[in-house]
Amino acid sequence: MNIKQAKEHIKNSVTLYLKKDEYGEYRIPVVRQRPVFLLGSPGIGKTAIMEQIAQELGIALVSYSMTHHTRQSALGLPFITHKSYKGLEFDISEYTMSEIIASIYEVMEQSGIEEGILFLDEINCVSETLAPSMLQFLQYKVFGRHSVPDGWVIVTAGNPPEYNKSVREFDVVTMDRMKLVEVEADYATWKEYALKQGIHSAVTTYLDMKKNDFYRVETTVGGKSYVTARGWEDLSAMMLLCEEEGFTVDETLVAQYLHNEKIVKEFTAYYELYNKYKRDYKVEEILAGTNSAQVVERARIAKFDERLSLLGMLLDKLESEMKENLEKSDYLADLMKVLKAVRALHEKEGTLQAQVETQIANREKVIEAMMNAGTLSGEDKRRHRAVIRFLETESKKLRLDAADDAAAFALLKSDFDAEVAKMRCENSRIQTRLHHLFAFCEKAFMDGNEVLVLVTELTVNAYSARFIGLYGSEDYHRHNEDLMLHERQDDIMKEIEALEL
């Protein structure tokens, strides 16, 4: 299965393992809660989906790589204790708590979240001294004498033997105690993730044309040659920062992330061409609706690869603006709840100034708890920080400008309304730019495949789909209906041909 399917499977398993009966007991006993074993090639996103699952279920996450653990660090260190049995005195060996188990208790204490996922990566690379203890752990959730706390689901991951010389293949007895989930690299699935994460459009448009370059592991004369999903994502992050600072993206940089000489050369050459298209077509003018007829004509006669690159640049720019706008909308919706709470509490419990400062402190605690639980996503962090920044700015204003609580709340409301007005203005601007994008494509590509690509990309991208769902787009809905009608006509023709009339 692909990584998206694996995520759903694991998420469902965790949900079921945490399901309780009317007495608060887990429906599936601990001894029957088989750990999930996620087996797949390196760099396809195994760790990333565990973070997503924890965030979506609102539970904690503790991650460990088993490659560096010895028997002592996993099971605990031995110590001598004195005991007596029926009048006889004995010195016996006991063990301190495992570092792994201790980490779970620390996360629960710091975050206040009692349920979670213990994710053990590279489980099939454990040291030889630790291997015998793994069977007991996988069946009973016990390291030494210390158990994984109730409410914690074990998910493990590992690479197949062909990717890692340190891999030890599990025997049948061990495998029979786990739920095996095998994952394969799949570009279509990764692209959905890439669009949501804001992966550089040069990467996605290149891979749209060369899907076989997405994931490749080969043994050559010079050694291992490999390109992974992780490599593309890390390269994208570095490219975006280089562009911000005006640094050059060359073969030397690309080769630090993609370890295949041919792909490095081809992608670097494509990136140079991509930047040339960006300069020649003047993307900002197209979205502003001020592009020249010459630009339309150039796009019309261009080869499909060039058209696809241009479309990728246009979508990348517009979808990033949609993402930023939606995050602003989410922040304002969150802030509105906070301001309502401030008003309600201040009427009962004191000054508005004090309530604003209390909300800042509470929000800081939320961030700290989520970070300790390992479930704070980038979007959530930005939203919480934006709320805190607004409240801190208002707190300073209240000290200086507000004569009483009525004036203080009027100031809060005025500044909040100004933020909402700016967001709505940006909504309208983005809708206009989306219309200009469709108008350009209609002129340059007419009813070509590029329009289908445009509608499809706007549909599968989480941010553009949500933006259009909230604010609408006549151009999008018109083309979407036309394309659906065209597809239905094709289906009807195939049915007629099958009848052999």
Side-chain angles (χ1 to χ4, degrees):
M1 64 179 72
N2 61 46
I3 198 72
K4 184 179 180 182
Q5 293 167 329
K7 175 188 169 183
E8 287 305 308
H9 178 85
I10 296 170
K11 184 178 177 181
N12 291 342
S13 294
V14 173
T15 301
L16 295 176
Y17 284 168
L18 296 180
K19 195 174 179 64
K20 296 179 179 178
D21 62 19
E22 64 270 28
Y23 304 108
E25 299 291 333
Y26 290 103
R27 295 278 296 274
I28 301 176
V30 170
V31 71
R32 296 285 174 240
Q33 290 185 11
R34 290 191 172 197
V36 177
F37 181 31
L38 188 59
L39 183 65
S41 36
I44 61 174
K46 297 190 289 293
T47 304
I49 66 166
M50 300 315 305
E51 294 170 353
Q52 294 166 23
I53 291 169
Q55 290 163 10
E56 291 169 16
L57 294 180
I59 59 179
L61 175 68
V62 171
S63 297
Y64 264 95
S65 173
M66 296 304 293
T67 51
H68 74 281
H69 275 290
T70 63
R71 187 174 186 278
Q72 286 74 27
S73 62
L75 301 184
L77 292 171
F79 66 92
I80 304 300
T81 187
H82 192 76
K83 291 195 175 184
S84 62
Y85 299 101
K86 295 183 178 180
L88 299 175
E89 303 290 324
F90 297 95
D91 288 328
I92 65 171
S93 294
E94 290 193 3
Y95 286 86
T96 59
M97 180 176 281
S98 160
E99 176 188 324
I100 296 172
I101 304 296
S103 294
I104 296 175
Y105 282 106
E106 286 176 4
V107 165
M108 288 196 294
E109 185 176 340
Q110 293 169 356
S111 69
I113 299 175
E114 297 292 322
E115 295 181 326
I117 297 170
L118 172 59
F119 179 57
L120 302 179
D121 199 6
E122 304 199 60
I123 193 77
N124 52 354
C125 292
V126 294
S127 66
E128 210 168 310
T129 56
L130 184 57
S133 305
M134 293 309 301
L135 183 61
Q136 179 192 27
F137 170 72
L138 293 172
Q139 183 169 12
Y140 298 107
K141 293 186 174 181
V142 173
F143 269 135
R145 296 186 59 190
H146 302 280
S147 301
V148 174
D150 289 346
W152 282 75
V153 177
I154 298 170
V155 180
T156 66
N159 301 323
E162 60 265 30
Y163 296 108
N164 193 331
K165 293 179 181 178
S166 303
V167 165
R168 300 163 45 88
E169 292 194 58
F170 288 140
D171 55 31
V172 174
V173 176
T174 306
M175 291 300 297
D176 192 41
R177 282 160 171 76
M178 297 191 290
K179 292 175 64 173
L180 178 62
V181 178
E182 296 189 71
V183 190
E184 294 180 343
D186 177 67
Y187 174 63
T189 302
W190 183 80
K191 188 177 178 184
E192 290 181 37
Y193 165 82
L195 292 172
K196 187 174 181 181
Q197 294 298 117
I199 299 296
H200 200 297
S201 61
V203 170
T204 52
T205 52
Y206 172 83
L207 292 174
D208 282 337
M209 295 179 286
K210 293 182 175 289
K211 294 180 176 60
N212 290 335
D213 289 353
F214 167 61
Y215 197 98
R216 191 181 296 184
V217 178
E218 302 167 340
T219 302
T220 65
V221 176
K224 283 282 186 183
S225 168
Y226 56 95
V227 175
T228 68
R230 183 192 295 124
W232 284 113
E233 183 170 3
D234 291 348
L235 173 61
S236 165
M238 188 58 68
M239 288 168 61
L240 291 168
L241 289 175
C242 283
E243 289 176 354
E244 281 184 23
E245 296 296 326
F247 297 162
T248 302
V249 176
D250 55 16
E251 280 190 25
T252 302
L253 177 68
V254 175
Q256 293 167 10
Y257 298 91
L258 310 179
H259 300 274
N260 179 294
E261 189 175 347
K262 180 174 178 290
I263 294 175
V264 167
K265 289 183 178 299
E266 290 184 355
F267 177 73
T268 306
Y270 172 78
Y271 179 68
E272 291 177 2
L273 196 59
Y274 172 93
N275 284 323
K276 182 178 184 301
Y277 295 155
K278 202 171 186 177
R279 292 190 299 271
D280 293 350
Y281 281 105
K282 299 177 182 176
V283 167
E284 185 55 41
E285 290 184 5
I286 293 174
L287 294 175
T290 59
N291 57 279
S292 65
Q294 289 85 352
V295 168
V296 174
E297 180 60 18
R298 172 171 176 172
R300 189 186 67 79
I301 63 174
K303 293 181 179 179
F304 182 69
D305 289 0
E306 184 172 331
R307 291 179 170 196
L308 200 62
S309 296
L310 172 59
L311 195 56
M313 288 184 281
L314 292 164
L315 281 165
D316 183 57
K317 178 69 174 173
L318 195 57
E319 286 171 342
S320 66
E321 292 175 3
M322 290 176 176
K323 177 182 178 181
E324 188 175 335
N325 183 259
L326 288 169
E327 287 190 356
K328 182 75 175 286
S329 174
D330 291 339
Y331 138 67
L332 290 172
D334 195 2
L335 180 59
M336 183 169 67
K337 294 176 186 175
V338 172
L339 295 182
K340 285 182 177 178
V342 166
R343 184 173 191 177
L345 288 170
H346 117 269
E347 290 173 354
K348 295 180 181 179
E349 302 177 13
T351 65
L352 198 74
Q353 172 78 39
Q355 294 305 326
V356 168
E357 291 177 356
T358 298
Q359 290 295 329
I360 293 171
N362 289 344
R363 189 61 59 133
E364 292 283 8
K365 289 178 183 176
V366 168
I367 294 175
E368 184 179 4
M370 292 179 71
M371 287 181 68
N372 289 333
T375 58
L376 183 64
S377 68
E379 286 182 19
D380 285 341
K381 186 175 183 178
R382 288 191 294 273
R383 175 169 51 81
H384 289 310
R385 287 296 179 200
V387 170
I388 290 172
R389 182 177 57 197
F390 179 90
L391 294 176
E392 286 178 339
T393 301
E394 295 305 305
S395 181
K396 291 176 184 176
K397 286 185 179 180
L398 293 179
R399 291 195 201 102
L400 297 173
D401 302 336
D404 52 38
D405 278 358
F409 194 80
L411 179 62
L412 278 176
K413 186 176 184 305
S414 174
D415 288 347
F416 175 78
D417 289 344
E419 291 279 292
V420 172
K422 282 195 290 185
M423 183 204 68
R424 288 175 176 166
C425 181
E426 181 64 10
N427 286 347
S428 299
R429 189 183 80 90
I430 293 172
Q431 284 181 293
T432 301
R433 288 161 73 80
L434 180 59
H435 170 70
H436 291 154
L437 173 57
F438 271 102
F440 174 82
C441 290
E442 287 166 1
K443 290 178 184 177
F445 310 136
M446 290 180 245
D447 293 326
N449 288 334
E450 294 80 8
V451 177
L452 173 61
V453 171
L454 171 61
V455 173
T456 302
E457 293 289 342
L458 289 171
T459 303
V460 301
N461 182 282
Y463 298 105
S464 55
R466 185 181 165 205
F467 184 92
I468 292 170
L470 286 172
Y471 307 116
S473 167
E474 291 183 10
D475 300 292
Y476 170 83
H477 292 300
R478 173 167 47 83
H479 281 286
N480 201 24
E481 288 174 6
D482 290 344
L483 290 167
M484 289 174 65
L485 177 62
H486 179 69
E487 289 170 5
R488 180 63 189 139
Q489 288 171 337
D490 287 346
D491 290 340
I492 292 170
M493 290 303 298
K494 289 176 183 176
E495 290 173 13
I496 291 172
E497 289 173 6
L499 293 173
E500 298 182 353
L501 298 176

